[in-house]
Amino acid sequence: MAAELFPTKKLVPSASASSTTSIRRYQQHNVTNNNNNTAAAATHGCCSWQGLYPTIRERNSVMFNNEMMADVYFVVGPPGGTQRVPGHKYVLAVGSSVFHAMFYGELAEDQDEIRIPDVEPPSFLAMLKYIYCDEIDLCADTVLATLYAAKKYIVPHLARACVNFLETSLSAKNACVLLSQSCLFEEPDLTQRCWEVIDAQAELALRSEGFCDIDAQTLESILRRETLNAKEMVVFEAALSWAEAECQRQDLPPTIENKRLVLGKAIYLIRVPTMVLEDFANGAAQAGVLTLNETNDIFLWYTAANKPELLFATKPRKGLAPQRCHRFQSCAYRSNQWRYRGRCDSIQFAVDKRVFIAGFGLYGSSCGSAEYNAKIELKRQGVPMGQRIIKYFSDGSSSTFPVWFDYPVQIEPDTFYTASVVLDGNELSYFGQEGMTEVQCGKVTFQFQCSSDSTNGTGVQGGQIPELIFYA
């Protein structure tokens, strides 16, 4: 889960017990191996463990987490979870300007032991491994804490690697958590990537466990967001879930009054008057978090000609405008095509930038108005990413008719995905011709290739699924 992968209740995530245990085992294994190697060299009379390693990188790596020739020790971690780590001032100073200042600068102090309570031991060791061995070893459980350590000790290449790792693992489940952390770490590129995911997959992001762990400032920035692609009732429910979690963080009973207290003025960033009247009447009006006067005024806003002034924003969010990638240059119909008998029409595609597929544009009947049952699906390497069974009505024109997934599906660049539809309808339909293998849509390039899943004739040159509807 996102909250487990990227916890945010503290600036630096605490390592799990299993993670700490594994790091300690690795430390013991590393020290034992290094000491054994040096002992072996001495036994053979060469007295030169250095001769076992042909490159300076390998010889430096031997010193990682090794007490041999260590001239400084770090006591890393919070009280009750500390770990003593050996270090070598010269190597550390070469890898970090902060360590250089600590050991060789004008204000350097001659300390044999340095306490670092704000960095977790696994993340500190990951940073030292990069400094000593020129190796980057990241995992989801510790990457945020490693980024914190890399920022604190000014190890920019490791910090960049952490950000890249976070960007590639970014999804609706952890986007709100990472948004909060990216602002703290002053990583504008990561912040922008987080907003792209939150905007396009807003309802999934707002319902994620990680949303409840964000700080109040990040909550307000999300509630202000003009381009959130979500129903306002979902925004309202997410804010109440966050308020309940915040009550627990502040050791307050999660009563209606306390939820309103911790939300403060942020509640007015929820655009309650823009809800569908039914959502407001059956949901927000009965949640108890609004005062009686606020509830009455909002009902009047819906119904009265002379509307009261409200503290809540009354203008709907703009959301995101969907874009369409049309892959055919023309369409046609014939007396015996395009027929549907439960067979699959399918096409593979790839993009050069992350996008979010919201649905497909499909052709409709070529013999007057008709209704179709459609099962739409998106797969990556055979694994379903999104699917939905839906009906759509066509008016007999050659236009395309949109069918939508429940939620937009995140599509990563440079990987082929399979778009499929199984249609059930008695009427023949239009079909596309003169298909293109590459289509430029704004800043996004789509590439198409035939799919082995297609059993009804659709391919690159012709057939169904003329449009991919997406956010970018």
Side-chain angles (χ1 to χ4, degrees):
M1 304 298 292
E4 296 169 345
L5 287 176
F6 304 111
T8 57
K9 294 181 181 179
K10 297 180 180 179
L11 174 60
V12 182
S14 297
S16 64
S18 61
S19 177
T20 303
T21 301
S22 63
I23 288 293
R24 283 175 178 166
R25 286 175 180 167
Y26 177 80
Q27 179 191 29
Q28 292 166 0
H29 176 73
N30 187 75
V31 171
T32 301
N33 281 352
N34 289 342
N35 289 339
N36 285 344
N37 286 335
T38 54
T43 300
H44 287 85
C46 65
C47 297
S48 174
W49 61 266
Q50 294 90 339
L52 299 173
Y53 305 98
T55 67
I56 185 65
R57 179 177 177 273
E58 290 175 293
R59 292 192 290 274
N60 241 17
S61 298
V62 172
M63 293 295 99
F64 167 58
N65 208 15
N66 193 334
E67 294 186 356
M68 183 174 59
M69 296 189 289
D71 53 0
V72 66
Y73 285 85
F74 301 94
V75 179
V76 185
T82 60
Q83 191 169 330
R84 197 166 186 261
V85 178
H88 306 80
K89 292 180 180 180
Y90 168 75
V91 178
L92 295 169
V94 169
S96 161
S97 59
V98 174
F99 284 131
H100 182 274
M102 288 172 61
F103 302 138
Y104 301 107
E106 293 181 359
L107 302 178
E109 298 181 12
D110 188 15
Q111 300 181 64
D112 292 331
E113 191 171 273
I114 298 172
R115 295 190 175 274
I116 307 177
D118 59 331
V119 178
E120 296 291 343
S123 300
F124 189 76
L125 284 169
M127 181 181 70
L128 293 195
K129 186 174 184 179
Y130 171 74
I131 292 175
Y132 277 80
C133 311
D134 201 24
E135 294 179 18
I136 296 176
D137 188 9
L138 302 174
C139 65
D141 290 337
T142 59
V143 62
L144 279 172
T146 303
L147 176 58
Y148 174 77
K151 288 277 189 176
K152 176 176 180 177
Y153 291 100
I154 312 180
V155 187
H157 298 293
L158 178 60
R160 185 67 250 170
C162 291
V163 171
N164 290 340
F165 183 97
L166 292 169
E167 287 182 355
T168 57
S169 60
L170 182 60
S171 70
K173 293 182 179 180
N174 58 31
C176 295
V177 173
L178 293 184
L179 175 68
S180 177
Q181 297 290 352
S182 68
C183 294
L184 289 172
F185 291 135
E186 298 181 344
E187 288 290 343
D189 290 343
L190 180 58
T191 300
Q192 178 59 32
R193 298 292 182 273
C194 291
W195 279 126
E196 290 171 2
V197 173
I198 293 169
D199 283 342
Q201 296 182 301
E203 294 193 359
L204 287 175
L206 293 171
R207 287 172 170 151
S208 68
E209 291 185 15
F211 178 81
C212 294
D213 290 333
I214 61 177
D215 59 273
Q217 185 177 353
T218 304
L219 172 73
E220 291 186 12
S221 67
I222 293 175
L223 296 183
R224 282 195 188 93
R225 191 74 174 172
E226 187 70 28
T227 45
L228 277 186
N229 211 32
K231 295 177 182 177
E232 206 62 31
M233 189 63 205
V234 175
V235 179
F236 180 84
E237 291 170 347
L240 288 189
S241 297
W242 179 90
E244 183 172 348
E246 183 65 15
C247 286
Q248 294 175 354
R249 285 190 286 270
Q250 296 187 24
D251 294 325
L252 296 172
T255 62
I256 293 298
E257 293 76 17
N258 285 336
K259 289 180 183 178
R260 178 68 187 248
L261 175 67
V262 298
L263 279 171
K265 293 183 179 180
I267 195 169
Y268 297 116
L269 299 174
I270 307 171
R271 307 186 186 192
V272 178
T274 69
M275 292 180 186
V276 177
L277 178 57
E278 184 179 358
D279 285 348
F280 174 72
N282 296 326
Q286 298 186 42
V289 74
L290 302 177
T291 67
L292 183 59
N293 284 340
E294 288 169 343
T295 303
N296 289 338
D297 284 348
I298 293 171
F299 269 121
L300 288 174
W301 173 268
Y302 281 111
T303 57
N306 186 19
K307 300 183 185 299
E309 290 189 8
L310 300 175
L311 292 175
F312 296 91
T314 58
K315 187 178 179 181
R317 301 178 197 272
K318 292 179 181 178
L320 292 177
Q323 302 180 53
R324 294 178 181 241
C325 173
H326 196 92
R327 67 188 190 91
F328 295 125
Q329 299 181 69
S330 65
C331 68
Y333 69 91
R334 298 192 183 100
S335 59
N336 63 343
Q337 291 181 321
W338 203 265
R339 189 179 298 278
Y340 305 102
R341 292 174 181 169
R343 292 189 293 261
C344 180
D345 288 286
S346 182
I347 191 72
Q348 288 194 332
F349 71 94
V351 292
D352 63 343
K353 293 181 177 62
R354 175 184 283 151
V355 299
F356 303 86
I357 297 294
F360 305 150
L362 301 178
Y363 287 124
S365 171
S366 58
C367 306
S369 59
E371 186 177 70
Y372 291 90
N373 294 313
K375 178 184 178 181
I376 59 174
E377 187 174 50
L378 264 178
K379 293 189 293 186
R380 177 180 179 177
Q381 297 177 345
V383 178
M385 308 292 292
Q387 55 184 218
R388 189 182 183 192
I389 297 175
I390 190 174
K391 292 183 177 181
Y392 74 97
F393 181 82
S394 67
D395 59 9
S397 71
S398 60
S399 303
T400 59
F401 301 91
V403 291
W404 306 90
F405 290 104
D406 290 321
Y407 302 104
V409 180
Q410 182 171 314
I411 302 298
E412 297 298 332
D414 305 322
T415 300
F416 272 96
Y417 292 77
T418 303
S420 302
V421 60
V422 176
L423 291 173
D424 182 16
N426 294 325
E427 299 294 341
L428 300 173
S429 82
Y430 288 91
F431 60 91
Q433 296 185 134
E434 301 178 275
M436 296 173 283
T437 58
E438 185 172 296
V439 180
Q440 186 75 30
C441 295
K443 296 181 179 180
V444 183
T445 301
F446 285 78
Q447 290 183 321
F448 294 95
Q449 67 181 27
C450 293
S451 168
S452 60
D453 292 348
S454 190
T455 58
N456 199 44
T458 288
V460 173
Q461 295 302 316
Q464 256 287 8
I465 318 182
E467 287 182 339
L468 299 177
I469 305 172
F470 69 99
Y471 301 115

